[in-house]
Amino acid sequence: MSKVIGVLTGGGDCPGLNPAIRGVVMRGLDHGFTFVGFQDGWKGIIEGITRPLGLTDVEDIVKLGGTMLRTSRTNPFKREGGVQKVLENFKKFNLHALIAMGGEDTLGVATKLFSEHKVNVVGVPKTMDNDLSATDFTFGFDTSVTVAVDAAERLKDTAKSHSRVMVLEVMGRHAGWVALYTGIASAADWILIPEEKPNLEKMCQHLKTVHARKGMGLVVASEGVNLGTEGQSDAKDDFGHTILKGRAVGESLASIIEKKTGLETRSAVIGHIQRGGSPTLFDRILGLRTGVAAADLVAKGDFGKMVALRGNEVVPVPLKEATGTLKTVPAEWVKFAEVFSK
Ligand code: F6P
């Protein structure tokens, strides 16, 4: 009898999830598996919300943004009887294993299900934030930064016409990878990331210098930067994360810059536009590779692992290693970015 494998995608969506689902299914068929797609992340397996997942379902999804399985930020460990329901449904749907695609939260749940309840899980890393340890890159990052670079360049056009300073606020949560890559790749004049205490005086001085030289300025700021002036928002998701968009980092920065420099300044928040759209080539290939590797791990019975990109190889690593600490921007990268700040 063929082995039944459950698949779910949890947390914030990102481009590359559909290629990864396709990778799992196409390779799983080689191993003789059949699949159950759980909808809406962990909510789907708690509540038994499923959809078919076979060859015809994944035939033409490689180019699609979002996730065909839909997602949510549900944490079974925070829901009354949530874990019990997951275990019951695991049995009810006759699952041999579950492939969970997600970031630190979704994979954190997978880690606990494996270590505390011996559930056969394999993780596939995804997040536009690129903040997962144990893997060099996560799919979703390349596409979302590509979109943000395009936005930054558009802002530069209008900044130039009006002799303004523009501030672009990007996502990325508590890691500055998205802001850093966006800023470097769009030749921004200043980049603010959560890992570095902002030096607002120095930034404003620099903006005055560049504005005098080229008649405009561009600042790229991560939503997670701590200016000490952001609007306080206590709203939290199921995993206890503060919802950062309420802090209005970009808007606060624009008014600080205008006050301190006298330069007309506007801000824009790219927000969820960064999370949509067709995955880039890099994200398609990484999604497909990690999906295939996850199906192979299930076939080998190598559970409690996540597939990770190390150099140019996709390798298994213990889930625990991947979810223990956040991968933040190290000092070398800050130094590299400074080369372009003249
Ligand atoms: O983790 C991905 C991410 O896009 C973060 O960069 C951002 O802070 C958060 O999700 C936004 O979450 P939501 O989609 O729940 O508003």
Side-chain angles (χ1 to χ4, degrees):
M1 219 171 68
S2 99
K3 285 179 175 160
V4 184
I5 314 301
V7 184
L8 65 81
T9 58
D13 68 342
C14 71
L17 279 166
N18 283 323
I21 295 167
R22 175 173 163 80
V24 164
V25 172
M26 296 300 261
R27 184 60 170 154
L29 291 173
D30 294 340
H31 293 298
F33 298 157
T34 52
F35 296 92
V36 177
F38 287 98
Q39 296 201 150
D40 306 324
W42 293 110
K43 182 170 186 257
I45 188 158
I46 291 173
E47 297 179 14
I49 317 163
T50 63
R51 61 152 292 158
L53 193 57
L55 179 59
T56 53
D57 302 292
V58 300
E59 208 123 51
D60 205 19
I61 61 169
V62 75
K63 63 183 178 206
L64 301 180
T67 160
M68 67 171 289
L69 291 176
R70 310 195 322 198
T71 187
S72 72
R73 294 196 186 278
T74 310
N75 183 352
F77 287 90
K78 286 276 161 66
R79 298 282 160 113
E80 180 96 31
V83 174
Q84 199 46 41
K85 291 254 170 58
V86 170
L87 301 176
E88 280 165 21
N89 278 331
F90 206 88
K91 277 209 182 109
K92 182 178 154 198
F93 288 95
N94 193 26
L95 299 185
H96 169 67
L98 178 71
I99 296 180
M101 303 185 180
E104 51 152 343
D105 298 332
T106 305
L107 297 182
V109 171
T111 308
K112 276 171 90 176
L113 285 174
F114 175 73
S115 59
E116 294 174 13
H117 300 277
K118 306 211 173 350
V119 175
N120 289 350
V121 287
V122 165
V124 173
K126 68 88 224 181
T127 165
M128 61 154 282
D129 301 335
N130 199 36
D131 59 356
L132 265 183
S133 296
T135 185
D136 291 351
F137 282 98
T138 47
F139 58 74
F141 176 67
D142 188 69
T143 309
S144 64
V145 174
T146 302
V147 174
V149 168
D150 179 63
E153 281 168 354
R154 286 165 195 267
L155 291 177
K156 279 165 84 171
D157 289 346
T158 167
K160 213 165 205 164
S161 307
H162 289 264
S163 305
R164 284 173 175 159
V165 173
M166 300 295 303
V167 178
L168 174 63
E169 178 188 320
V170 296
M171 285 184 170
R173 207 168 249 166
H174 303 297
W177 294 108
V178 176
L180 184 84
Y181 271 52
T182 303
I184 295 172
S186 63
D189 300 299
W190 202 263
I191 302 168
L192 288 147
I193 58 173
E195 291 85 346
E196 292 283 301
K197 193 170 183 282
N199 186 337
L200 299 177
E201 291 303 329
K202 201 169 162 198
M203 174 186 73
C204 288
Q205 209 43 53
H206 183 70
L207 287 172
K208 277 206 230 169
T209 308
V210 296
H211 191 276
R213 193 171 76 224
K214 51 184 188 177
M216 52 83 64
L218 173 69
V219 175
V220 175
S222 169
E223 62 178 356
V225 167
N226 197 357
L227 296 175
T229 55
E230 306 87 336
Q232 290 303 300
S233 155
D234 285 340
K236 293 207 182 357
D237 67 20
D238 232 18
F239 289 87
H241 297 295
T242 303
I243 297 170
L244 294 172
K245 74 178 172 57
R247 301 167 79 239
V249 162
E251 216 176 287
S252 309
L253 262 177
S255 77
I256 292 170
I257 293 167
E258 205 160 64
K259 247 185 236 142
K260 286 190 188 285
T261 64
L263 298 168
E264 196 175 27
T265 307
R266 298 282 189 271
S267 70
V269 183
I270 188 167
H272 293 80
I273 294 169
Q274 276 198 271
R275 287 237 302 261
S278 190
T280 55
L281 170 68
F282 183 85
D283 283 341
R284 289 182 196 203
I285 301 298
L286 185 56
L288 292 167
R289 288 182 79 193
T290 49
V292 165
D296 283 343
L297 281 191
V298 171
K300 277 192 208 142
D302 199 358
F303 300 117
K305 300 279 171 67
M306 176 189 93
V307 290
L309 183 70
R310 295 267 175 94
N312 200 25
E313 300 297 312
V314 175
V315 296
V317 295
L319 266 170
K320 244 193 178 141
E321 207 182 290
T323 53
T325 43
L326 216 59
K327 185 180 72 186
T328 50
V329 174
E332 311 83 273
W333 269 101
V334 175
K335 278 216 152 60
F336 175 71
E338 278 168 8
V339 171
F340 305 102
S341 181
K342 291 190 170 62

